[in-house]
Amino acid sequence: MNSSLKALEDRLSHEMKLFSYPARAWPLKHQAEDGTSMVDVLIVGAGQAGIAAAFGLLREQITNVLLIDRCDPGQEGPWVTWARMRTLRTVKELTGPDNGLPAAAFRSWYEARKGAGAWDELVRIPKEEWMEYLLWLRDYLALPVENNTSVERIEYAGEALRVTLETPRGSRVVVARKVVVATGIDGAGGPNIPAFAHCAPRHLWAHSSEPVDFTALKGKRVAVLGAGASAFDNTATALEAGAREVRHSVRRPRLPEVSALRYLEFAGFFRNFRMLDDARKLRFMRRYFALPTPPPADTLERCRAHANLDLRLSDGWTAMQAAGDGLAITTPNGTFETDFAILGTGFKVDLAKVPYLAPLVPDMLFWRDRFTPGSDRVDTHIANYPYLTPGIQAVGRTPEADRVLRNLHLLNGAGLMSEGPICTGINGMPWGVSALVQAISRDLFQADADVFYEQFAAYDVSDPNEGYKPAAVAR
């Protein structure tokens, strides 16, 4: 560790002490029905959202927290796996995982390693450096992370949640007062795979969020479908890996140029959208989902730097099947052949497709229960979102179910409709973590408020400052 980074960690330690009052870890210890200790908060996912949430809880003196992640250490989230952009898409000044402490901010970490001059020259944050920063913060905070661990199922345990985990050492059960699902944009239902893809041999295509051996595509024909940033990231990566040609198909007749969603990036929206009534949420989100999002300009330039890019508009795919050793793909403009296809078709929201959440779905309230959906694509999409409280909590269909499901917090793609863009991505992270921590703190306190009162009424410890007299003031 260089001396500047050590100095930064010393500064962060000082800041944490400055803001540590009151420093008592206050939630009461609870036991499960079998006598084992409960975890106050189990966080599923140890990527950026999980780390930020755990840090926020620690600052609230909620310390009985466990994070799990299905990936190897250092592989959490998309940054060094399936994110194929070169840099983050957001401005470098973003905050979030730091929970408001300057020494924990990315800029402080970056400058400690490379100097203030390097920060001034930086345009966008390289994704690998962002991942390195997250790991530094996780290690500094000594967060309790169990890697290579996945959730097998979640069941009711009184008003708590019994979580069966699959670990390298076998299955084990954790009973948690709160479960936070911090699994990103792909954690609410998985990749959106068009029906036609299932007719093609599985080894000849991949979704953009799946592993792709790009070195094996050198000299090959590649086809990519999608108008979003991720689709173009994959096209650029294939071209840079030496693909003979990449046919990039977009269903739209033209690429969008205006990212109207940028308008929503202000503190008032991030903080307060979740408090709006249903009608106004619907009004905002119908427009939100109807608007196309253009691929970033630098991503397009990265693709267009290659002469063997074949960009086709009004070229949506309708069929895909085996043809010799490759694929035949049908579009409104005819059929073409390729060696490998990549589907940049985004993600779906369908909690019934998340195995450990599926048993809870019948008891949950969804947006389709709160309005009458139209038959258009946007309303069909909105209808599938779970209906969440402003505390990012699931809502039960009955009072009995609700008493348990309010302890399930969906800090992932499932939260977009109810909370706005504070449950995924980095831009809204400070407000999402704040809302989450506030709700968890409130519920844990309210659950034990009567016990706190009894302890308060019985308190008889002498004040350690009793009898203290201040020094005389010179005049």
Side-chain angles (χ1 to χ4, degrees):
M1 180 187 299
N2 66 43
S3 59
S4 296
L5 193 57
K6 176 62 169 62
L8 175 65
E9 293 187 352
D10 290 342
R11 198 172 96 213
L12 179 52
S13 178
H14 179 64
E15 288 179 359
M16 292 181 72
K17 289 177 182 177
L18 282 177
F19 295 99
S20 65
Y21 177 84
R24 185 174 83 190
W26 55 269
L28 302 179
K29 293 183 178 179
H30 283 246
Q31 289 187 332
E33 294 174 352
D34 63 359
T36 59
S37 296
M38 286 190 190
V39 173
D40 284 333
V41 186
L42 172 66
I43 300 176
V44 182
Q48 62 187 19
I51 290 171
F55 190 9
L57 291 167
L58 291 178
R59 294 204 64 199
E60 189 73 6
Q61 305 304 334
I62 299 172
T63 59
N64 184 16
V65 175
L66 173 65
L67 296 90
I68 64 162
D69 199 285
R70 64 186 179 184
C71 297
D72 292 334
Q75 300 291 305
E76 303 88 353
W79 307 115
V80 295
T81 53
W82 57 267
R84 292 171 184 130
M85 71 283 252
R86 290 173 175 169
T87 67
L88 272 59
R89 308 195 199 284
T90 44
V91 297
K92 65 180 182 179
E93 290 83 6
L94 55 84
T95 59
D98 49 83
N99 273 268
L101 291 180
F106 175 84
R107 177 174 180 172
S108 298
W109 175 83
Y110 191 83
E111 289 183 343
R113 296 170 65 249
K114 299 191 176 183
W119 173 262
D120 293 337
E121 295 173 1
L122 183 67
V123 178
R124 303 274 185 187
I125 299 173
K127 60 188 179 71
E128 291 83 6
E129 300 232 38
W130 180 253
M131 184 66 194
E132 192 175 345
Y133 156 71
L134 293 173
L135 294 174
W136 165 77
L137 186 60
R138 185 183 85 179
D139 290 345
Y140 171 80
L141 296 171
L143 297 180
V145 179
E146 294 187 11
N147 285 95
N148 303 118
T149 298
S150 58
V151 179
E152 188 173 300
R153 62 181 175 274
I154 299 178
E155 303 166 294
Y156 297 162
E159 292 191 7
L161 293 163
R162 180 183 294 105
V163 184
T164 302
L165 303 177
E166 191 61 41
T167 80
R169 296 168 299 282
S171 295
R172 73 183 181 97
V173 172
V174 173
V175 179
R177 299 178 70 188
K178 291 281 187 178
V179 172
V180 177
V181 182
T183 49
I185 60 172
D186 59 331
N192 181 34
I193 307 294
F196 62 74
H198 299 293
C199 299
R202 192 61 179 89
H203 68 284
L204 295 178
W205 63 271
H207 188 267
S208 58
S209 64
E210 295 176 330
V212 175
D213 183 2
F214 284 94
T215 59
L217 299 181
K218 183 176 182 179
K220 300 289 184 68
R221 300 166 299 173
V222 178
V224 178
L225 174 66
S230 182
F232 280 95
D233 288 336
N234 278 266
T235 285
T237 304
L239 289 165
E240 291 161 358
R244 188 203 321 171
E245 65 176 18
V246 177
R247 174 166 170 157
H248 190 121
S249 297
V250 175
R251 176 176 53 84
R252 298 179 180 275
R254 60 190 295 269
L255 288 178
E257 298 178 356
V258 176
S259 182
L261 302 185
R262 292 294 183 195
Y263 172 80
L264 301 178
E265 294 176 6
F266 61 96
F269 188 85
F270 284 140
R271 187 179 301 283
N272 301 306
F273 174 83
R274 63 194 177 91
M275 306 301 294
L276 290 178
D277 57 84
D278 288 357
R280 285 192 284 181
K281 284 184 179 180
L282 277 167
R283 188 180 185 192
F284 268 106
M285 298 310 289
R286 277 173 166 151
R287 180 158 180 80
Y288 184 103
F289 290 125
L291 289 172
T293 302
D298 57 345
T299 301
L300 278 177
E301 291 174 7
R302 187 178 161 200
C303 294
R304 287 171 171 160
H306 299 267
N308 50 339
L309 167 68
D310 182 9
L311 178 59
R312 301 288 186 102
L313 303 177
S314 300
D315 200 47
W317 300 355
T318 58
M320 188 166 72
Q321 57 189 15
D325 294 331
L327 293 169
I329 296 176
T330 303
T331 79
N333 307 306
T335 299
F336 69 95
E337 293 189 357
T338 191
D339 297 310
F340 193 81
I342 301 175
L343 305 174
T345 46
F347 301 93
K348 61 188 174 186
V349 173
D350 185 353
L351 297 188
K353 299 297 184 183
V354 182
Y356 60 87
L357 293 178
L360 307 179
V361 165
D363 292 340
M364 284 187 194
L365 206 63
F366 286 79
W367 270 91
R368 58 179 171 263
D369 303 310
R370 302 291 297 186
F371 80 115
T372 302
S375 59
D376 60 286
R377 175 186 61 85
V378 169
D379 271 17
T380 300
H381 183 64
I382 289 173
N384 285 332
Y385 278 85
Y387 186 83
L388 306 181
T389 75
I392 318 180
Q393 300 158 278
V395 177
R397 291 183 175 276
T398 66
E400 294 76 18
D402 191 59
R403 281 194 288 271
V404 185
L405 288 176
R406 67 185 177 184
N407 294 319
L408 177 68
H409 297 255
L410 299 174
L411 189 70
N412 64 1
L416 179 57
M417 182 61 212
S418 295
E419 317 297 330
I422 63 172
C423 293
T424 58
I426 306 167
N427 307 58
M429 184 184 294
W431 295 272
V433 169
S434 175
L436 175 79
V437 170
Q438 182 179 358
I440 290 176
S441 179
R442 176 201 65 208
D443 289 355
L444 295 183
F445 175 79
Q446 288 182 351
D448 290 328
D450 291 340
V451 179
F452 288 133
Y453 175 79
E454 292 170 2
Q455 292 179 347
F456 169 52
Y459 187 81
D460 63 352
V461 179
S462 299
D463 187 339
N465 292 324
E466 188 175 345
Y468 169 76
K469 295 180 180 180
V473 179
R475 296 184 183 277

